[in-house]
Amino acid sequence: MHYLDELNEIQKQAVTEFEGAVMINAGPGSGKTRVLTYRIAFMMENGVAPYNILALTFTNKASKEMRERIEKLIGTEARSLFMGTFHSVFARILRTKASMLGYTNNFSIYDSADTKSVLKATIKELGLNEDTYKPNYCYTRISNLKNNLINYKIYANSPELIADDVEAHRPRLGDVFRKYTEKCFQNNAMDFDDLQLKFYELIVRYPEVLYEFQHKFHYIMVDEFQDTNLAQYSIIKKLGDVHQNICVVGDDGQSIYGFRGASIDNILSFQKDYSDTKVFKLEQNYRSTKTIVDTANIIIKKNQHQLEKTIWTDNTVGNKITVLQTFSDNDEGKQVAESIFHRAMSDQLKYDEFAILYRTNSQSRSFEESLRKMNIPYIIYGGISFYQRKEVKDLIAYLKLVVNPYDEEALKRVINYPLRGIGDTSIQKMVLYAAANSLKLWDVIEQNETLKILTGRVAENLQSFYILIRSCQLEQDKNAYELASIIAKGSGIQSELYADKSVEGVSKYENTQELLNSIKEFVENDEVDDNIETSEDKLLGSFLQSVTLLTDKDTQNEDKPSVKLMTIHASKGLEFNSVFIVGMEENLFPSQKSMYSEDDLEEERRLFYVAITRAESHLMLSFARSRYKFGQINPSDPSRFLTELPKELVEYKGFSKAPSDNQLEPKRTVQYQPNQTINSIKQSQSIINQDTTDFKADNPNTINSGMRIQHAHFGFGLINDISGEGDQRIATIDFDNNQTKKILMRFAKLRIIE
C-alpha cells in the first residue's frame, strides 16, 4: 500500500475509512480521481471482493481511466469491478432481467435523435398540431418527468402535473406521453431515461431482484454526486439500504446541470438522509495558482446555498487574472487569438494547453475565424458527433434492425434506403394495417401480411428486403465485425456511397469505413469485462450498446495539439494551462434566463466558478462593448460577475485606466425582482432587444432549421422546422411574440441572427 504515501492526511482518511456513509466534498483540482482510485484499491486489498463494489460515474471515459489505474495498482482483479456510467450499468443489468418487464434482452436503446423521431410520429398519429406540441418540447418535458420517477400512469393521476400542461396550452401532453411509451414498448426499445426509470421499476416491482443486488453490492460509490437526479439517487438509496456503505463524491460548487434535471439538493441534503455520515473535505488544490484559487473562493462564496469549504493551495501566487475589454466581438476573437499565439511562443506551450470557454456554442465564430487567420489549429467540442452523421446512423440502423427487428425507428429509416421502391405511402399502409390488426410492423413483413395491402414490384422488393435482414440474422453467431461487414455489403449502402465520387460522397464512404474500423477495434480489444458474459461481449448487440451510451467527451478525437473551443458546461472535469473565458457580458453570461430566479443566478455563478477553476496558471476574462446581433452592431454591458472579482488580483487590459465598479456595472440589464412575474420580465427584455432598423435579408438557401432569425414584420424568432424542397421550402417559425407562422422561404425576407 505504498500508494498511500502519495496522499495528504485528509485524502488518506477518505481512502482508508470505507465503512458506513461517507461524503467526500472534493473541490476542483483536489485529487478527487486519485482518491477514488486508491479508495477502491485499498478496499480490495483489505478483503472486499471487486464484484461487491458498485462504482458509478457520468462518463465512460472516467470509468475506463479509473479501472486502468486500479489495475496498475493491484492487477487484473480490477477487471471484475462493477463500474460504469449510470446508464451503462443499468442497461447491463436490464439486459439480464428485461423479460420481467416484458422486453427481450436484445432491446434497443434510443438516443435523443431516435426519441424525437418517435415523438414526432406520435404527435402526428394523435392528430395534434406540431407547432404546439413540438417534439423538442415534449422530449424535454417527458425526460424531466421520468427523471423524477413519473411514468405516464402516475402523470395521469396527478392533477397538478396535468394542470401545468393545461396552463402551458398543451392539455394533451399526457396522451403524447402514454402513446410514446406504448410505441417504445412495442418497438422493444428503451430511451436513455427509461434505463433509469425501468431499473427503478424493476427493483420496486420485484423484491427478489432488489434483494439480489442489495446483497451483491456491499459498497456503492458515486462520482460527481452533485449531478445526480431524483431517479438516480432513489436507486442508490434502495440498493444501499442493507449495508449502508454509500460513498458519494462531488462538489456542490460545480452543480451546473439543473437544466438536465440534476438536483443540487441531493448533495446538500445527504447528511440529513444519513445522520452518521463521515465528511471529508478535499480543500487543497493541486492544479491552480494561488491567485486563481483565491478568486474562485471569493466568487463562489457569494452563493447562499452551499456546503461550507475553503479551497487553498501551496502553489505559487502566479500572474494576476486579466480582464480584457474589446471594441467588438470580432475584435475579441482577434485579441484572444493573438494572446494565445504570443503566450505559446513566449512560454513554449503546446496549443492543446489552451482553451477558449464560452456560454453558448454560437459564440465560437469570431474565435474560429481569428484562429484560422493565424494558422492556429483548434478543435470544437460539441460539434456533430461521428455517430450522429447520417451515413453512420443509416448503417447503425441496419445493425440495430438485425439485432432487434422490432425496432420500428430503425426499420423505417432503412426500409427504403438505398432506394428499393418502397415509398412513404406503402410504409404508411403497413403501419395502419399493423395498428388495426394489433401487429408489430416487422410481424406484418415477416408473416407476408403485406400481400394483403401491397402488390406488384413493391411487394417483391419488400420480400427481398425481408430476406436480406433474415439472412443476416442467421449469422448472429459471428462476431460484431464479421456480421457488420456482411450487413454493410448486403444492404447496398457501401456500394452506393462508393459510387459517389464527389468530395461529400467520398467523405461519407470513409465514415462508414471508419464505423467498421471501430467495430473491428471493439472486437480485437483484449480488455475483458467480467460483468458481461464472455460469449456475448464481442457480439453486435454489445457493440451497439457501447456506442449508444457514448458521450461527446468519449468520442472526441485529436490528431495534433490544438486549442480547445467549448462551452463551459463541456469543460467540466478538464484542465488547461491557460483558459480564456470569453463573452463576459450581461444577458450572455449570466444568461437572460437566469434573471428569472435567484436559484438560476446561483447556478450561473457556479458555472463561472467551474470555468475559473479549469485554469492552471493563466486566466483571461474578456468582453466586448459591442456585439453583432440582429443584423447590426449592438452595445453590450459587462457581466455583473466582473464586479465580483477581487480588484487586487486583477489586471485590466483595453482600458485607459483601471475601471471603477460603476464602469463595470451593467446598465441595460433586467434585474431580478422577487415579485416580478416572468411575463413582465420577458416583456421588458423584448423592449430592450427591439430593433426597428432596416436590414438586408440573407439568401434563403443558407437558412436552416434551428437558426434564430429576424423577420421584417414579425420580429425575432426561431426556425423550428423546414419542409419541402426547392421553391416549395416552407419554414415553421416560433416568434418571440408567441406567434407561430409558416412562411414560404422564396418569398420570406429573413436574416440570420445566430
Side-chain angles (χ1 to χ4, degrees):
M1 301 181 190
H2 59 87
Y3 52 82
L4 295 180
D5 296 335
E6 302 173 18
L7 305 173
N8 65 38
E9 190 55 37
I10 293 295
Q11 289 176 331
K12 191 178 295 184
Q13 291 177 32
V15 165
T16 57
E17 297 187 31
F18 58 82
E19 297 291 342
V22 172
M23 180 166 69
I24 302 174
N25 194 350
S30 61
K32 177 196 71 172
T33 303
R34 174 178 290 185
V35 169
L36 276 172
T37 302
Y38 289 5
R39 180 182 172 87
I40 294 175
F42 183 84
M43 290 166 64
M44 292 172 62
E45 288 192 332
N46 281 270
V48 178
Y51 47 79
N52 290 144
I53 300 173
L54 172 62
L56 296 166
T57 66
F58 272 84
T59 66
N60 294 288
K61 182 179 180 181
S63 61
K64 183 175 183 291
E65 289 179 353
M66 284 178 59
R67 191 190 298 272
E68 289 173 349
R69 291 172 67 169
I70 296 168
E71 187 172 342
K72 287 180 180 178
L73 290 173
I74 62 173
T76 57
E77 190 180 359
R79 296 178 183 180
S80 298
L81 284 167
F82 218 98
M83 177 185 289
T85 65
F86 282 91
H87 293 98
S88 65
V89 167
F90 296 163
R92 186 187 306 165
I93 295 174
L94 284 167
R95 290 285 179 200
T96 66
K97 308 288 184 182
S99 61
M100 302 177 78
L101 298 175
Y103 296 82
T104 68
N105 61 6
N106 62 346
F107 63 84
S108 295
I109 300 175
Y110 282 168
D111 62 16
S112 59
D114 297 325
T115 298
K116 291 173 186 177
S117 177
V118 177
L119 279 168
K120 190 170 185 177
T122 300
I123 293 163
K124 184 176 182 179
E125 288 178 22
L126 289 172
L128 300 176
N129 186 337
E130 196 174 312
D131 294 335
T132 302
Y133 294 87
K134 300 178 179 67
N136 281 343
Y137 176 88
C138 294
Y139 168 76
T140 301
R141 175 64 167 155
I142 291 172
S143 176
N144 287 335
L145 290 168
K146 289 182 178 180
N147 285 335
N148 284 284
L149 298 176
I150 298 169
N151 59 28
Y152 79 89
K153 292 180 181 178
I154 296 174
Y155 174 93
N157 289 289
S158 175
E160 290 184 2
L161 292 173
I162 295 172
D164 288 341
D165 288 312
V166 170
E167 187 176 348
H169 306 293
R170 296 177 181 88
R172 295 193 62 190
L173 192 284
D175 293 333
V176 175
F177 194 1
R178 173 187 55 78
K179 184 72 173 177
Y180 167 73
T181 303
E182 291 172 350
K183 285 179 76 69
C184 285
F185 184 74
Q186 184 180 31
N187 292 356
N188 190 34
M190 298 185 195
D191 63 26
F192 266 34
D193 300 310
D194 282 331
L195 295 176
Q196 299 170 161
L197 184 63
K198 295 298 181 182
F199 185 83
Y200 184 81
E201 180 183 338
L202 179 71
I203 59 178
V204 169
R205 283 178 55 187
Y206 298 98
E208 66 273 22
V209 175
L210 177 59
Y211 179 90
E212 175 187 346
F213 290 104
Q214 283 178 333
H215 288 78
K216 176 179 177 60
F217 301 133
H218 296 188
Y219 297 87
I220 299 174
M221 295 179 62
V222 185
D223 190 15
E224 303 289 2
F225 185 64
Q226 76 280 348
D227 294 336
T228 55
N229 56 40
L230 176 64
Q232 291 164 341
Y233 187 31
S234 299
I235 291 170
I236 293 164
K237 288 177 69 176
K238 282 191 172 295
L239 293 178
D241 270 351
V242 172
H243 297 285
Q244 297 279 306
N245 295 320
I246 298 179
C247 173
V248 299
V249 186
D251 178 7
D252 58 296
Q254 298 186 65
S255 178
I256 58 174
Y257 291 112
F259 66 97
R260 291 184 186 171
S263 173
I264 192 174
D265 290 337
N266 289 347
I267 192 167
L268 295 179
S269 304
F270 185 78
Q271 290 173 263
K272 295 179 182 178
D273 293 338
Y274 298 91
S275 57
D276 58 347
T277 299
K278 300 172 188 174
V279 179
F280 301 102
K281 298 180 182 180
L282 305 187
E283 297 176 303
Q284 183 174 1
N285 180 292
Y286 293 92
R287 174 188 301 158
S288 308
T289 63
K290 192 174 188 303
T291 296
I292 292 171
V293 169
D294 289 348
T295 300
N297 274 330
I298 290 169
I299 292 297
I300 200 62
K301 284 189 182 300
K302 295 186 180 296
N303 274 7
Q304 298 298 313
H305 303 98
Q306 60 180 298
L307 298 173
E308 183 182 348
K309 68 175 178 297
T310 300
I311 308 304
W312 60 276
T313 184
D314 277 336
N315 294 340
T316 60
V317 173
N319 298 319
K320 286 188 175 183
I321 292 168
T322 302
V323 172
L324 171 66
Q325 174 179 252
T326 65
F327 172 73
S328 67
D329 50 345
N330 287 332
D331 185 33
E332 182 184 34
K334 178 184 177 183
Q335 292 202 46
V336 167
E338 289 176 348
S339 181
I340 290 173
F341 177 79
H342 291 305
R343 184 167 176 79
M345 294 300 104
S346 64
D347 292 0
Q348 296 297 297
L349 297 175
K350 295 180 179 179
Y351 282 125
D352 59 3
E353 297 181 75
F354 294 86
I356 299 175
L357 309 183
Y358 35 73
R359 184 62 180 83
T360 65
N361 277 309
S362 61
Q363 292 171 246
S364 70
R365 179 195 56 80
S366 65
F367 303 100
E368 289 186 70
E369 290 178 357
S370 297
L371 291 170
R372 277 200 300 268
K373 288 176 181 177
M374 298 188 68
N375 292 317
I376 298 175
Y378 67 89
I379 291 176
I380 297 181
Y381 276 55
I384 297 177
S385 163
F386 174 81
Y387 292 101
Q388 293 299 320
R389 294 170 185 171
K390 180 185 182 301
E391 62 275 12
V392 175
K393 284 187 73 74
D394 288 337
L395 183 48
I396 286 178
Y398 267 105
L399 306 184
K400 284 184 174 182
L401 189 60
V402 170
V403 173
N404 173 23
Y406 295 122
D407 186 338
E408 192 168 308
E409 285 307 296
L411 177 56
K412 288 179 179 177
R413 186 179 186 99
V414 301
I415 195 171
N416 196 39
Y417 179 76
L419 292 175
R420 50 175 61 92
I422 306 171
D424 290 342
T425 302
S426 298
I427 295 171
Q428 189 60 25
K429 285 181 180 179
M430 290 189 287
V431 169
L432 293 174
Y433 182 86
N437 292 274
S438 300
L439 293 171
K440 295 180 178 180
L441 189 55
W442 178 255
D443 292 334
V444 174
I445 299 171
E446 186 172 47
Q447 297 171 19
N448 254 341
E449 294 289 316
T450 52
L451 295 177
K452 298 178 181 178
I453 51 177
L454 302 175
T455 58
R457 182 69 62 84
V458 176
E460 293 176 9
N461 293 342
L462 193 60
Q463 186 62 20
S464 298
F465 173 73
Y466 168 75
I467 293 172
L468 165 66
I469 301 301
R470 190 71 188 99
S471 63
C472 291
Q473 289 175 330
L474 296 176
E475 303 285 349
Q476 287 196 74
D477 59 334
K478 287 183 165 57
N479 68 44
Y481 175 71
E482 292 171 340
L483 180 53
S485 298
I486 292 171
I487 296 169
K489 184 177 180 179
S491 66
I493 287 180
Q494 278 195 307
S495 57
E496 174 161 301
L497 294 178
Y498 184 76
D500 184 356
K501 298 303 181 182
S502 67
V503 174
E504 184 180 11
V506 171
S507 175
K508 289 181 177 182
Y509 176 76
E510 290 174 348
N511 285 337
T512 60
Q513 291 301 303
E514 185 58 30
L515 175 61
L516 293 175
N517 290 340
S518 70
I519 300 175
K520 188 173 186 180
E521 184 179 11
F522 170 82
V523 170
E524 293 179 349
N525 183 7
D526 60 3
E527 182 176 343
V528 176
D529 186 344
D530 290 334
N531 296 306
I532 300 177
E533 293 294 325
T534 55
S535 61
E536 296 179 352
D537 62 2
K538 301 301 180 185
L539 297 184
L540 190 55
S542 296
F543 171 79
L544 290 171
Q545 176 175 312
S546 68
V547 167
T548 308
L549 296 172
L550 285 175
T551 67
D552 284 346
K553 290 180 183 178
D554 296 321
T555 58
Q556 196 67 41
N557 183 37
E558 300 176 16
D559 295 325
K560 60 182 178 180
S562 305
V563 176
K564 309 300 188 300
L565 278 68
M566 67 187 81
T567 64
I568 302 171
H569 282 98
S571 75
K572 188 167 173 288
L574 303 177
E575 58 185 51
F576 306 92
N577 177 282
S578 302
V579 170
F580 297 78
I581 307 174
V582 299
M584 293 293 302
E585 295 149 35
E586 198 71 2
N587 294 328
L588 182 55
F589 189 28
S591 70
Q592 279 189 344
K593 292 181 179 179
S594 69
M595 306 303 172
Y596 299 165
S597 76
E598 289 290 353
D599 286 345
D600 290 340
L601 186 58
E602 287 206 351
E603 179 153 323
E604 289 287 298
R605 188 175 286 110
R606 291 195 295 270
L607 193 60
F608 187 36
Y609 175 75
V610 167
I612 291 172
T613 54
R614 298 312 93 199
E616 295 173 357
S617 64
H618 177 75
L619 177 63
M620 176 182 280
L621 314 176
S622 65
F623 70 96
R625 278 294 184 180
S626 59
R627 189 167 289 275
Y628 196 83
K629 294 179 182 177
F630 315 128
Q632 68 171 17
I633 294 294
N634 284 264
S636 301
D637 283 330
S639 167
R640 68 183 65 193
F641 292 152
L642 294 178
T643 65
E644 299 176 358
L645 297 170
K647 280 187 173 297
E648 67 277 9
L649 300 181
V650 176
E651 63 178 8
Y652 297 92
K653 185 178 178 181
F655 299 82
S656 57
K657 61 180 180 178
S660 65
D661 284 344
N662 184 55
Q663 286 176 289
L664 289 176
E665 196 71 43
K667 298 177 179 60
R668 283 173 289 275
T669 185
V670 178
Q671 299 293 336
Y672 167 75
Q673 298 293 334
N675 59 354
Q676 188 177 13
T677 67
I678 289 178
N679 283 337
S680 67
I681 292 173
K682 289 180 177 178
Q683 289 168 2
S684 299
Q685 289 171 340
S686 66
I687 293 171
I688 290 170
N689 292 330
Q690 191 62 43
D691 176 20
T692 58
T693 59
D694 294 333
F695 65 91
K696 182 179 179 181
D698 287 306
N699 184 336
N701 293 326
T702 66
I703 297 176
N704 297 306
S705 178
M707 286 184 171
R708 185 162 175 77
I709 52 82
Q710 184 180 17
H711 184 276
H713 178 67
F714 299 117
F716 307 120
L718 182 71
I719 298 185
N720 185 50
D721 184 53
I722 293 181
S723 59
E725 296 180 355
D727 288 345
Q728 300 305 312
R729 292 177 82 223
I730 297 175
T732 301
I733 307 175
D734 297 330
F735 288 99
D736 291 355
N737 58 6
N738 292 324
Q739 294 186 73
T740 298
K741 302 287 185 182
K742 289 183 180 293
I743 297 176
L744 193 63
M745 292 289 286
R746 64 190 172 110
F747 293 136
K749 291 185 177 180
L750 306 172
R751 72 175 173 186
I752 300 169
I753 304 303
E754 58 183 26

